[in-house]
Amino acid sequence: MEKFLARSISIAFHPLLLPTLGLLLLFQTDLYITFLSGTLKQVVIISTLVSTGVIPALFVLSGRIFKSNSDSWEKVPVQTLTYLISGVSYFAGYYLVSKLPVAGFFNAIFLSGTLVLVALALISLRWNISSHMAALGALFGIVLAIMLRLGQHDMGLIVVILLAGGFTGYARLVMGKNNPAQVYAGYILGFSILFLIFNFV
């Protein structure tokens, strides 16, 4: 039961879904860009889902298929390639969103996400850092930075994000996917990059 719950949490807060979930969450608050029309919000959400979720997911699935059917793929660092392909997809999302009249904030999200993925790709060559926790740390970093810049606070949102991070970290440990150091390092990495970019740039 415990492993089933951990797996469910891990899927719910998967890095491929979190950018879209994060935007949906932000759109429900008064913290930022609430003036966007419904149509623009839909365009942003769809662009985010395609570039940060669908395209990387297709690559992951195709990579697993090729690896299972070819011995030559055994030595290929599939996880590292996944991060790099995801980074390219994020950059594609940046290009799509840059055509919108309110692109600045979203451009920063995609470019920051690209930096996180490049960092994960480099680290994963030597160490199994947690991408789940990096994504949740990034979400907390961007929300906290926005709150500080706008002088607004939504403690409910902060609590939800922190709980999501705590439960996900627990899930990764229960499933044996990461050790405590990898969980904490992933969270700190994602948080640091997004918080610094949105708080000081």
Side-chain angles (χ1 to χ4, degrees):
M1 180 63 182
E2 187 179 27
K3 287 201 171 182
F4 173 78
L5 180 60
R7 184 177 296 276
S8 300
I9 293 172
S10 192
I11 292 173
F13 297 108
H14 196 281
L16 297 181
L17 298 176
L18 208 58
T20 304
L21 292 176
L23 272 182
L24 289 171
L25 193 62
L26 286 174
F27 281 145
Q28 303 306 312
T29 70
D30 295 326
L31 290 176
Y32 211 84
I33 54 173
T34 54
F35 59 85
L36 283 182
S37 69
T39 301
L40 276 177
K41 287 181 180 179
Q42 289 176 4
V43 171
V44 170
I45 289 171
I46 291 172
S47 298
T48 302
L49 179 61
V50 170
S51 59
T52 68
V54 176
I55 295 176
L58 290 175
F59 174 78
V60 171
L61 291 174
S62 62
R64 288 178 179 175
I65 292 171
F66 282 122
K67 187 174 182 179
S68 64
N69 293 325
S70 175
D71 294 337
S72 63
W73 273 74
E74 291 182 358
K75 297 181 180 180
V76 177
V78 176
Q79 187 177 37
T80 300
L81 288 175
T82 299
Y83 291 142
L84 292 176
I85 293 295
S86 297
V88 173
S89 298
Y90 268 60
F91 193 78
Y94 158 78
Y95 179 78
L96 290 173
V97 173
S98 66
K99 305 300 181 181
L100 299 177
V102 285
F105 172 76
F106 302 106
N107 283 347
I109 290 179
F110 283 110
L111 289 178
S112 301
T114 301
L115 290 177
V116 172
L117 286 163
V118 170
L120 287 173
L122 294 174
I123 295 172
S124 68
L125 289 171
R126 297 283 185 176
W127 199 47
N128 184 32
I129 189 169
S130 175
S131 58
H132 278 72
M133 296 307 294
L136 282 157
L139 178 60
F140 182 50
I142 188 174
V143 169
L144 185 61
I146 291 171
M147 288 182 181
L148 292 175
R149 293 193 72 162
L150 297 180
Q152 299 178 354
H153 301 89
D154 187 334
M155 291 307 298
L157 181 59
I158 288 178
V159 169
V160 168
I161 295 173
L162 288 176
L163 285 175
F167 283 125
T168 304
Y170 163 79
R172 302 308 288 173
L173 294 175
V174 168
M175 294 172 64
K177 297 295 185 180
N178 299 105
N179 61 39
Q182 294 163 349
V183 165
Y184 290 125
Y187 199 86
I188 292 170
L189 174 69
F191 174 84
S192 299
I193 292 177
L194 271 292
F195 181 78
L196 289 174
I197 289 177
F198 277 87
N199 201 38
F200 297 110
V201 174

